Amino acid sequence: MSDSQSTRGVQGRRVKRYLRYVLRFVGAVVGFLFAIWVFIGIISFPYIDIPPRGGGSLPLEKRVSVEAFQRDVEPHILAARNEIYSGSQSLRPETEKSKISRLYDGWELSSQRVRGGTQSPDRVEEILGRYLEPLGYVSIVHDQESLVWRDEKNGGRVEILIRDQSLAFQYDTQDRPSDGSVPDPRVLIPNDSRDVAGYVSPSLPSIWDFDRDAPRFPETDGSELERKRQSIEVFEREVEPEILSFRDEIVGDSSYYVARRPSEMETRKRYPTPEYWLESQRVQCGPRDVGRVVEWGNAHLNPLGYELVYDYASPVPGVGHYLAWKDEKNGGLVTVILRQENTEFSYKSGARPSDGSVSDPTVLIPNDHRDLPDPLA
């Protein structure tokens, strides 16, 4: 073999090897583009409900409306709940009241969750069967931790959770149409047995969660440098008693409920200047007049350096009228929410330094009047 033939052979092998690399690269690119094409085709393919969104097998427009549910179905569910808890002296709400909200193309009613004493799962299942089977519900879960019944056609479920020697009850409709029989589907049709009184949120409800047009709610921090702010101990001894007097004027002699979480102190000890802030027990009483509450608040709080900095009545049903007084210098908020059916009161001190007058600032200075007794305990 001549040198020229040998050279041509080497060059040919190089060309073949190069072509193999090119073909592999082109194949990889084509495969990648094909995968993208398939993916785009899948996500752009018309959405098919199997079952339709919201859990029911029926198309949305053929399901029992959210209004018909409240009139014809919900009373039977509540009758089952009442029989399950008959004789229970410890029935307690664990969430806010029932509500109706937007879900997909329709509306969903979500019930309040209530908890009572422990029950035999078999007894509870028998009661649910008597009330729910005629309504089209079927049992889909039955064990020692939960019982679930579901309306397979219209969507919606009734759920029992069993834990800690107690039993929780809740239900929902999932996605339902409105039949137009009420002006606003979000407004519940009155039913005195629907919700159990006594739930108070352990933390201040954010108005932005319900009303996106609401003005920004004030922060608790003050304008003064943290190390120069009024100490947490002075707040507890000299400021808090007058705030509690404001609370007492709002509550008066009427009935009230309290959050299960009492007042507590929180801290960030690792900061260069350790911070401490007190968050109060939340108290709920009956409805109050806004003007009177503003008058009382200014009388009690203005001498302490608090000014009314937030005064907003939300047009969204159920959100209420938010009032907040703030100590702009030292920080801290006193908040009152006035709704048609109730009034809620709470306060926070804002981050404060310790003046060293107590051995452990995380332990609240005793005040027998700070937390009201729990009437549901």
Side-chain angles (χ1 to χ4, degrees), residues 342-353:
N342 59 48
T343 302
E344 287 192 5
F345 178 95
S346 62
Y347 59 92
K348 297 180 180 180
S349 68
R352 306 287 183 106

Side-chain angles (χ1 to χ4, degrees), residues 109-165:
L109 187 155
S110 301
S111 80
Q112 180 188 56
R113 185 173 72 244
V114 298
R115 182 171 294 278
T118 185
Q119 304 280 332
S120 162
D122 291 334
R123 173 180 177 271
V124 174
E125 188 80 359
E126 185 275 326
I127 294 172
L128 291 175
R130 266 194 288 119
Y131 285 95
L132 299 184
E133 283 182 0
L135 303 174
Y137 284 77
V138 296
S139 176
I140 60 174
V141 177
H142 181 184
D143 56 37
Q144 295 302 309
E145 296 183 352
S146 62
L147 307 172
V148 181
W149 286 69
R150 181 179 177 186
D151 183 338
E152 299 282 1
K153 291 184 177 180
N154 297 286
R157 45 197 271 156
V158 177
E159 184 174 18
I160 308 289
L161 302 176
I162 305 169
R163 70 175 188 273
D164 301 332
Q165 298 300 308

